[in-house]
Amino acid sequence: MRTRLHVIAGDARGRNLEVPAHARPTAGRVREALFASLGDISGMQVLDLYAGSGAVAIEALSRGAAGAVLVDRHRDAIEACRANLETTGTGSRARVASTAVVAFLTGRIAPEAPFDLVWCDPPYGMDQDEIGAVCAALALPGWLAPDARVVVERAARDPLPGDAGIASVELEVTWERKYGDTLVTVLRSR
């Protein structure tokens, strides 16, 4: 693991974060732009899927989110998430789930649900059917709070799933922004 990221704002501002070797962390400018667009996130419950370093969930906790669940199946990511939560002092408000994202979402609904903010940052090039399955699972009763926002980060060249994915799960696109080769799409529950 190597240290390349830091928390941008809030209580843990400036703290360095470890990044697992396999991860492609969300760039600081992308995190900053997204959180600026979201406004006040105080009291929100956050779900960070494909968490990697946990930088997004930790950024949310630093900015006042009430709690977060970080989900990843890679051992080095789990270790980085736990270390980063400890380093930033946000661990008491978070839980790390060591499992595949689809398995997490198709099991029992997490006790922390419903979630106000979900960050979905799958590996670039992931099968679009899996992203559609993730969105469909999130749309099942109990996972999302009313007016929840689901953020999907992916390669700009990878489209969101079409009618078989996003459109069928009652999530609508509210905005999209491109940052280099990264495309961030914010969806809101209908």
Side-chain angles (χ1 to χ4, degrees):
M1 287 189 229
R2 60 199 185 281
T3 301
R4 289 187 0 184
L5 291 178
H6 66 279
V7 179
I8 297 166
D11 296 338
R13 181 181 180 179
R15 301 257 176 93
N16 289 326
L17 302 174
E18 292 182 15
V19 179
H22 81 278
R24 175 202 33 81
T26 300
R29 68 188 172 108
V30 174
R31 284 184 286 132
E32 187 169 12
L34 177 75
F35 281 102
S37 75
L38 293 174
D40 184 13
I41 62 164
S42 298
M44 286 188 176
Q45 287 293 330
V46 177
L47 179 59
D48 188 355
L49 303 173
Y50 308 97
S53 66
V56 170
I58 291 168
E59 188 72 43
L61 291 167
S62 179
R63 293 170 183 250
V69 178
L70 295 75
V71 182
D72 207 299
R73 67 182 175 101
H74 296 286
R75 178 183 290 191
D76 60 342
I78 297 303
E79 291 171 3
C81 287
R82 289 184 175 140
N84 290 335
L85 288 165
E86 183 176 331
T87 297
T88 59
T90 56
S92 65
R93 294 180 287 139
R95 175 170 68 96
V96 179
S98 177
T99 186
V101 168
V102 172
F104 178 83
L105 293 173
T106 56
R108 289 182 27 230
I109 294 176
E112 298 87 353
F115 294 99
D116 304 288
L117 175 62
V118 178
W119 185 273
C120 181
D121 183 12
Y124 283 7
M126 174 177 275
D127 183 337
Q128 297 301 300
D129 289 341
E130 183 170 339
I131 296 172
V134 167
C135 291
L138 284 170
L140 294 173
W143 282 106
L144 298 177
D147 292 325
R149 285 167 281 183
V150 177
V151 180
V152 180
E153 179 182 343
R154 65 197 188 285
R157 67 184 179 278
D158 294 340
L160 273 175
D163 292 337
I166 301 301
S168 65
V169 297
E170 300 303 316
L171 294 172
E172 61 184 343
V173 175
T174 59
W175 67 261
E176 273 188 337
R177 300 286 187 280
K178 186 176 176 186
Y179 302 92
D181 69 341
T182 299
L183 184 64
V184 176
T185 304
V186 178
L187 305 128
R188 185 167 233 142
S189 55
R190 295 181 195 182

